[in-house]
């Protein structure tokens, strides 16, 4: 198979927290921020399938291309989005993302299920905390 006929299906589910998990992302901020992230990523060759979250974190599903690097993708998304929030003055205080992030590969057959889960973040976090959500990742053993 040559590179012109290659088909690559690398889907990554990433969770990023607001610095110190502060609840700074109000609904109006999330609405404009997540739309901005998706558009800006597309403008930079990053295929973000979905961005959603709550006051203290966001979920991003990215379809990576073979030449892309997850650390660079997330640095680009987080750096640009924090600068955009701060320049736009959507939040009174300085906005920052946590340094690290959680990332999981997603099987092509499970992408729809993951997107459905991310679509329902507000509903999901009415009964489950971010910490309990992140604990699930700690328990994954290979």
């Amino acid at each position: 198979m040559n590179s012109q006929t290659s088909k690559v299906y690398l889907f990554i589910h990433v969770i990023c927290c607001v610095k110190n998990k502060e609840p700074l992302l109000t609904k109006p901020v999330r609405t404009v921020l997540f739309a901005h992230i998706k558009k800006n990523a597309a403008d930079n060759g990053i295929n973000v399938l979905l961005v959603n979250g709550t006051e203290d974190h966001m979920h991003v599903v990215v379809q990576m291309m073979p030449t892309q690097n997850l650390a660079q993708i997330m640095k680009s998304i987080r750096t640009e989005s924090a600068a955009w929030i701060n320049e736009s003055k959507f939040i009174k205080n300085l906005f920052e993302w946590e340094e690290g992030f959680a990332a999981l590969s997603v099987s092509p057959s499970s992408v729809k299920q993951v997107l459905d889960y991310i679509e329902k973040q507000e509903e999901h976090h009415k009964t489950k905390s971010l910490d309990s959500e992140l604990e699930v990742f700690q328990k994954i053993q290979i």
Side-chain angles (χ1 to χ4, degrees), residues 1-111:
M1 207 179 240
N2 66 36
S3 63
Q4 293 175 330
T5 60
S6 295
K7 298 287 184 197
V8 177
Y9 301 99
L10 294 173
F11 299 98
I12 309 293
H13 173 190
V14 184
I15 302 172
C16 299
C17 295
V18 174
K19 189 162 188 171
N20 301 320
K21 295 186 181 116
E22 288 188 65
L24 300 176
L25 300 176
T26 61
K27 180 73 171 169
V29 171
R30 288 196 307 272
T31 300
V32 293
L33 173 64
F34 297 160
H36 173 80
I37 287 172
K38 193 164 177 166
K39 182 189 179 315
N40 186 267
D43 291 347
N44 288 290
I46 301 168
N47 187 13
V48 171
L49 301 182
L50 182 64
V51 185
N52 200 13
T54 63
E55 290 86 2
D56 60 357
H57 72 284
M58 73 172 172
H59 292 254
V60 182
V61 176
V62 179
Q63 181 178 8
M64 290 179 52
M65 298 300 116
T67 57
Q68 292 177 320
N69 169 309
L70 182 60
Q72 291 170 336
I73 287 172
M74 293 315 299
K75 181 178 181 184
S76 170
I77 288 173
R78 294 183 307 170
T79 301
E80 193 284 329
S81 62
W84 184 77
I85 288 176
N86 290 323
E87 288 165 17
S88 303
K89 305 261 190 262
F90 285 123
I91 297 172
K92 287 183 218 165
N93 303 342
L94 179 68
F95 179 84
E96 295 178 86
W97 293 107
E98 289 275 343
E99 282 290 317
F101 56 85
L104 289 137
S105 58
V106 179
S107 165
S109 63
S110 299
V111 169

Side-chain angles (χ1 to χ4, degrees), residues 117-134:
Y117 167 78
I118 293 170
E119 284 274 347
K120 297 178 179 127
Q121 278 299 291
E122 289 178 43
E123 183 183 316
H124 176 74
H125 285 291
K126 284 179 183 169
T127 59
K128 193 170 191 173
S129 72
L130 172 61
D131 288 337
S132 66
E133 182 175 54
L134 294 174

